[in-house]
């Protein structure tokens, strides 16, 4: 029969050690669970940030494309306006040339009606030559103006094309997603149940040791078995 006091002390020792083992195991479980929640939250935040960055990148690229298209349209419209103005100026020059040429022709016809003879004949020839030179100069000026206008239009076209190409280069490379976060998440392992079993076993051993320490000779556990 076990000695009551020694038995009580042994049970108290075993119980305290057991409770300590259970409490330690539970604390370790809680710590592991808290760490795993933090790890999961961080992984979710990385995934969410990756998604938001991609959406933002796509939206910004699309906005850039729209801006470039508007600027290219503006460039095309400006060139079309310039070319139209040059064409109108060309028409004005031609109309002006026709009016002046008709005036000279009328003047020439008027001079040719002068009676021939003596000084009048010489004057008429000189006037006709002068009118001829004026008409030739007018044709030459009109031709040079047309050439200059064509060069201006070609230069404006090349400048507009270069500007459009420069604008296109800004969006030539579409937005590309960066590397996605790793889907592999390393969680913390909780305490092993074998550790709890070992702790409880150790508590039992501690209780037995406490009992043996206080039990009278002949009533120790080894004597009772």
């Amino acid at each position: 029969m076990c000695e009551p006091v020694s038995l009580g002390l042994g049970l108290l020792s075993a119980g305290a050690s057991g409770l300590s083992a259970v409490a330690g195991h539970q604390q370790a479980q809680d710590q592991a669970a808290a760490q795993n929640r933090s790890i999961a939250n961080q992984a979710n935040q990385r995934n969410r940030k990756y998604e938001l960055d991609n959406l933002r990148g796509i939206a910004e690229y699309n906005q850039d494309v729209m801006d470039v298209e508007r600027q290219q349209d503006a460039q095309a419209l400006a060139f079309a306006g310039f070319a139209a103005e040059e064409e109108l100026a060309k028409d004005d020059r031609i109309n002006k040339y026709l009016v002046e040429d008709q005036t000279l022709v009328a003047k020439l016809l008027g001079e040719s009606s002068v009676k021939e003879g003596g000084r009048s004949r010489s004057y008429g020839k000189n006037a006709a030559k002068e009118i001829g030179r004026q008409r030739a100069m007018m044709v030459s000026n009109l031709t040079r103006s047309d050439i200059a206008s064509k060069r201006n239009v070609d230069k404006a076209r090349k400048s507009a094309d270069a500007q459009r190409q420069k604008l296109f280069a800004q969006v030539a490379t579409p937005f590309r997603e960066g590397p996605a976060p790793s889907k592999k998440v390393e969680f913390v392992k909780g305490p092993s149940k074998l550790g709890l079993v070992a702790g409880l076993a150790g508590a039992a051993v501690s209780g037995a040791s406490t009992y043996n320490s206080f039990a009278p000779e002949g009533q120790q556990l080894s004597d009772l078995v």
Side-chain angles (χ1 to χ4, degrees):
M1 182 175 178
C2 296
E3 200 274 325
V5 175
S6 299
L7 178 60
L9 293 174
L11 292 175
L12 287 174
S13 177
S17 298
L19 289 174
S20 178
V22 171
H25 181 81
Q26 184 62 46
Q27 184 179 12
Q29 279 187 326
D30 293 342
Q31 290 177 347
Q35 289 177 335
N36 287 334
R37 284 193 297 271
S38 177
I39 292 172
N41 288 335
Q42 291 176 3
N44 290 334
Q45 289 175 0
R46 287 194 299 269
N47 292 334
R48 182 58 177 166
K49 182 178 183 302
Y50 175 74
E51 294 174 357
L52 291 176
D53 288 345
N54 288 337
L55 292 175
R56 185 181 299 109
I58 293 172
E60 290 177 351
Y61 174 75
N62 290 337
Q63 182 62 49
D64 290 342
V65 170
M66 293 176 62
D67 291 342
V68 165
E69 289 176 348
R70 282 196 294 267
Q71 293 179 62
Q72 287 180 329
D73 290 343
Q75 285 287 336
L77 186 61
F79 169 73
F82 176 79
E85 290 178 358
E86 285 292 323
E87 191 65 25
L88 290 174
K90 178 181 177 181
D91 292 340
D92 290 341
R93 289 193 298 270
I94 292 175
N95 292 333
K96 181 180 179 181
Y97 162 78
L98 293 174
V99 171
E100 293 177 351
D101 186 67
Q102 289 175 0
T103 300
L104 290 176
V105 170
K107 184 177 181 180
L108 180 61
L109 292 176
E111 293 294 339
S112 65
S113 66
V114 177
K115 294 181 179 180
E116 297 183 0
R119 187 175 179 181
S120 295
R121 180 186 299 175
S122 175
Y123 175 78
K125 288 182 178 179
N126 291 335
K129 289 181 180 179
E130 179 62 25
I131 291 173
R133 284 193 294 270
Q134 291 181 17
R135 295 184 70 190
M137 182 63 69
M138 287 166 53
V139 172
S140 176
N141 290 338
L142 181 63
T143 301
R144 286 199 300 270
S145 297
D146 289 345
I147 292 173
S149 177
K150 185 177 183 303
R151 287 178 177 175
N152 289 337
V153 172
D154 289 342
K155 182 178 179 181
R157 180 185 293 106
K158 290 179 180 179
S159 177
D161 289 341
Q163 185 63 25
R164 284 195 293 270
Q165 289 295 328
K166 182 178 179 181
L167 289 170
F168 174 75
Q170 297 177 9
V171 294
T173 303
F175 171 78
R176 290 186 174 85
E177 298 179 355
S182 176
K183 294 183 179 180
K184 186 178 181 181
V185 180
E186 296 288 342
F187 288 104
V188 176
K189 292 182 179 180
S192 172
K193 291 183 178 181
L194 292 178
L196 176 60
V197 172
L200 293 175
V205 171
S206 175
S209 177
T210 301
Y211 172 81
N212 288 332
S213 297
F214 291 95
E217 291 187 8
Q219 292 187 14
Q220 295 182 346
L221 291 178
S222 60
D223 299 328
L224 301 175
V225 177

